[in-house]
Amino acid sequence: MPLINLLDYDLAGLTAYFAELGEKPFRAKQISRWIHHFGVSEFAEMSDLAKSLRSKLEGTAHIWPPQMVTQQASADGTHKWLLDAGSMNAVETVFIPDAQRGTLCISSQVGCALECTFCSTGRQGFNRNLSVAEIIGQLWWANRALGRDPKGERIITNVVMMGMGEPLANYANVVTALNLMLDDHAYGLSRRRVTVSTSGLVPAMDRLREDCPVALAVSLHAPSDKIRDEIVPINRKYPLAELMAACQRYLEKAPRDFITFEYVMLDGINDKPEHARQLVSLVRDVPCKFNLIPFNPFPNSGFKRSRAETIQRFRDILIQAGHIVTLRKTRGSDIDAACGQLAGKVQDRTQRTLRRIEVA
Ligand code: SAH
Ligand code: SF4
């Protein structure tokens, strides 16, 4: 019998597992705290568990995080971890500190199937979904490495699912991992400080609203279906009118009273003043904030970052219309940790690279 990986379970799963072993539910809370609060991976270190229970566990289960390949720190305090995902694959996790918060950016898949044209992960193709252990394992490692500040507060205060992959395309595993992020017996983060970023999988947005409403960021990137169909191809399935309606529905249960719209600034594609005005009209019924992301280049992307003045002008139009707009700073560029540059290592099962060469 292969050993069960306890990192694959949220508290409900652990409780069910302990019930099978004939143990009391509080054991699940106890072990969850050992694993997630203290970063322990050996049963032998769990000093308040009876020896008999520890040996019972050793025969059936283990705590098996993804293996760490490299850990890098940038001059600006950004950290990046490369974690082994087996079969020559790897995924990346990035920690970004600023004055008020410490944010961990987590990956959800090896590669991504959604083919947004300006995204390095999308260009690499898709291999597979990450398991719960591989998703929560990113937080487990980072939390162990960074620990607490001198006042005893956790260094990681926020999690954003903005690494490699589309989180809502790996729905069940992502929701189990979210449960662990929120659970007081695991990471105890507030719903407002955990953000799922999606390119707009409308049915899954509706499910998330019911199952585990956390803060939501939507990768909008275009003011019209014409442009969005080209750069975010999932738009052909769930066009903007449907996406806006899904955002409104999400807000009925969301922990924050706005959606964050991410908008990558691509020179000459989506950055003209008329696009900003169209955008204002598109979102008129959705309480929202904008996060403008200057495009982060990668080899052979075919796109250019908008000029600083263009971004300024675009931002001013949104602000004049009454919107709150943030401009994402590029962090950790000395270790290639910027948004959309997370390359990891993907053995592409979809053979996208090959298809592109054939087309060219
Ligand atoms: N799949 C999810 C989350 C991962 S990407 C999503 O698409 O929302 C996190 C953000 O980075 C998304 O808004 C994505 O569109 C953006 N992004 C992707 N490639 C980028 C690039 N090269 N430069 C800047 N932002 C990029
Ligand atoms: Fe996938 Fe998000 Fe990249 Fe689009 S932007 S290809 S959804 S990771």
Side-chain angles (χ1 to χ4, degrees), residues 44-61:
E45 288 177 50
M46 302 181 179
S47 48
D48 57 359
L49 293 191
K51 250 207 163 121
S52 56
L53 174 58
R54 279 190 253 159
S55 53
K56 204 188 304 183
L57 284 170
E58 254 146 31
T60 54

Side-chain angles (χ1 to χ4, degrees), residues 99-320:
Q100 297 89 36
R101 58 183 86 83
T103 304
L104 192 70
C105 179
I106 288 187
S107 297
S108 55
Q109 298 182 308
V110 184
C112 182
L114 295 186
E115 312 202 24
C116 302
T117 49
F118 51 83
C119 172
S120 146
T121 307
R123 283 287 179 92
Q124 292 175 79
F126 177 70
N127 187 282
R128 67 174 175 86
N129 284 331
L130 292 181
S131 66
V132 177
E134 289 167 325
I135 299 170
I136 207 65
Q138 299 171 57
L139 180 53
W140 186 88
W141 271 119
N143 197 46
R144 243 170 75 127
L146 300 167
R148 293 176 184 262
D149 68 12
K151 286 195 223 136
E153 305 287 340
R154 277 188 202 279
I155 301 280
I156 299 169
T157 60
N158 293 55
V159 169
V160 293
M161 304 257 3
M162 292 186 186
M164 298 170 68
E166 164 56 50
L168 295 187
N170 182 12
Y171 187 83
N173 291 349
V174 164
V175 167
T176 304
L178 291 174
N179 288 339
L180 283 165
M181 292 174 203
L182 302 176
D183 200 308
D184 283 338
H185 298 289
Y187 297 93
L189 295 169
S190 129
R191 277 181 196 283
R192 301 158 57 85
R193 290 173 173 268
V194 174
T195 302
V196 164
S197 174
T198 179
S199 55
L201 301 187
V202 166
M205 289 165 65
D206 285 325
R207 284 177 74 191
L208 189 69
R209 177 194 65 199
E210 300 303 324
D211 296 343
C212 190
V214 291
L216 189 70
V218 172
S219 293
L220 198 52
H221 305 320
S224 65
D225 285 323
K226 188 160 174 275
I227 300 176
R228 199 163 190 267
D229 278 352
E230 292 303 315
I231 60 178
V232 183
I234 193 69
N235 194 68
R236 294 175 207 159
K237 195 158 178 196
Y238 306 115
L240 284 170
E242 281 181 37
L243 182 57
M244 291 301 118
C247 289
Q248 281 178 306
R249 290 195 296 276
Y250 194 85
L251 284 173
E252 290 163 14
K253 300 240 172 112
R256 289 182 176 271
D257 55 7
F258 60 90
I259 301 282
T260 302
F261 285 128
E262 296 162 280
Y263 197 98
V264 61
M265 300 297 296
L266 300 166
D267 183 49
I269 308 278
N270 62 357
D271 62 349
K272 303 199 173 98
E274 73 206 55
H275 297 142
R277 288 191 287 271
Q278 269 179 294
L279 199 53
V280 169
S281 133
L282 175 71
V283 305
R284 66 188 170 268
D285 298 323
V286 184
C288 63
K289 290 186 184 174
F290 285 98
N291 188 207
L292 303 183
I293 317 172
F295 171 65
N296 290 310
F298 55 90
N300 304 319
S301 77
F303 292 102
K304 285 208 314 238
R305 175 183 293 185
S306 306
R307 294 156 54 98
E309 310 83 81
T310 312
I311 298 179
Q312 230 21 290
R313 198 172 47 184
F314 196 93
R315 184 173 79 155
D316 289 346
I317 296 172
L318 298 179
I319 290 176
Q320 272 158 22

